[in-house]
């Protein structure tokens, strides 16, 4: 076999490997939902929404843990799904979740989630996590994973109540302040 033939075979194998990791693009239909007694619309996030995502981050954190470029890169991947929750009354975007589906590892990784403060503690984060979980189950994935700040005890309680367990500590994980993160995992089988 010539080097050129071997190189072509390797390139085909490499392309199929990354197709397995990236999987098929995610289809998602926008729809209306009721959470608690409030009506919302769940829509697929697009790059046009990044300014609003940055505004939500500022309301939650007082800054932007993810900058525009981070959102652009994450949203540009074919295997990433962003869901936005819009209040039907005010038409305001109030929450979002980002998730990366890895068909090769059979895992969906929650990359980002946020609910503006005045809407927190109303089940919206739980709803968004369930939406992603439903997508993962449709793809026959086996787990969900995420990182959470060591200091974010409220989020840890939520994730634990939904079946996530702490699997490891990632020391100095967050670039802004060097805080540790817990890696958390939920088995879906």
């Amino acid at each position: 076999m010539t080097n050129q033939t071997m190189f072509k075979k390797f390139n085909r194998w490499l392309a199929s490997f990354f197709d397995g990791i990236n999987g098929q693009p995610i289809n998602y239909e926008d729809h209306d939902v009721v959470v608690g007694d409030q009506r919302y619309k769940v829509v697929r996030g697009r790059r046009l929404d990044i300014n609003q995502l940055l505004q939500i981050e500022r309301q939650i954190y007082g800054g932007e843990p993810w900058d525009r470029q981070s959102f652009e890169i994450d949203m540009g991947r074919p295997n990433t799904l962003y869901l936005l929750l819009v209040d039907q009354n005010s038409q305001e975007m109030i929450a979002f979740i980002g998730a990366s589906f890895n068909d090769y590892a059979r895992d969906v990784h929650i990359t980002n989630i946020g609910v503006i403060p005045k809407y927190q503690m109303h089940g919206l984060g739980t709803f968004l996590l369930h939406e992603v979980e439903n997508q993962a189950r449709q793809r026959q994935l086996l787990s969900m994973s995420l990182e959470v700040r060591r200091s974010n005890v409220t989020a840890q309680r939520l994730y634990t109540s939904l079946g996530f367990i702490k699997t490891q500590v990632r020391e100095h994980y967050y670039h802004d302040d060097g805080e540790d993160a817990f890696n958390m995992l939920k088995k879906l089988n």
Side-chain angles (χ1 to χ4, degrees):
M1 195 178 306
T2 68
N3 283 346
Q4 189 173 14
T5 305
M6 287 175 54
F7 185 70
K8 284 181 182 178
K9 275 186 150 181
F10 174 76
N11 278 340
R12 279 195 302 271
W13 172 84
L14 190 61
S16 69
F17 174 78
F18 281 108
D19 284 346
I21 290 175
N22 291 332
Q24 300 299 315
I26 297 118
N27 296 316
Y28 190 86
E29 296 289 325
D30 298 351
H31 60 280
D32 295 336
V33 297
V34 175
V35 180
D37 58 355
Q38 281 285 93
R39 296 185 58 77
Y40 303 97
K41 186 164 193 76
V42 186
V43 299
R44 184 180 190 133
R46 310 221 185 283
R47 286 184 174 161
L48 303 167
D49 302 308
I50 292 175
N51 283 341
Q52 290 177 287
L53 296 175
L54 293 169
Q55 287 177 4
I56 290 174
E57 282 193 326
R58 283 190 293 273
Q59 288 181 52
I60 297 168
Y61 305 109
E64 298 170 357
W66 277 42
D67 61 15
R68 173 175 297 285
Q69 184 178 15
S70 298
F71 278 114
E72 286 176 355
I73 290 168
D74 202 34
M75 293 176 113
R77 295 183 177 116
N79 63 321
T80 298
L81 175 67
Y82 269 76
L83 298 178
L84 315 176
L85 210 49
V86 177
D87 184 313
Q88 290 280 34
N89 295 326
S90 68
Q91 296 302 306
E92 176 184 19
M93 183 193 306
I94 56 155
F96 70 92
I97 190 168
S100 176
F101 291 76
N102 185 323
D103 292 333
Y104 181 75
R106 313 245 348 240
D107 177 73
V108 59
H109 185 76
I110 307 303
T111 58
N112 209 333
I113 184 170
V115 178
I116 62 174
K118 73 178 183 179
Y119 286 88
Q120 290 177 1
M121 308 306 281
H122 292 99
L124 303 178
T126 299
F127 169 79
L128 289 171
L129 286 162
H130 285 310
E131 282 289 292
V132 169
E133 182 175 337
N134 290 338
Q135 291 292 312
R137 288 182 185 280
Q138 287 175 20
R139 292 174 79 95
Q140 299 178 334
L141 301 184
L142 301 177
S143 62
M144 292 177 69
S145 59
L146 56 83
E147 288 87 21
V148 61
R149 285 182 179 272
R150 182 185 286 271
S151 64
N152 194 344
V153 177
T154 303
Q156 291 172 41
R157 272 196 296 265
L158 169 64
Y159 301 142
T160 301
S161 75
L162 296 174
F164 286 84
I165 58 168
K166 293 176 187 170
T167 57
Q168 74 181 75
V169 176
R170 293 187 157 192
E171 293 183 1
H172 313 295
Y173 180 79
Y174 291 98
H175 298 291
D176 59 347
D177 61 3
E179 184 176 354
D180 295 346
F182 289 116
N183 199 33
M184 298 187 77
L185 183 74
K186 177 179 181 175
K187 300 280 187 182
L188 299 180
N189 53 354

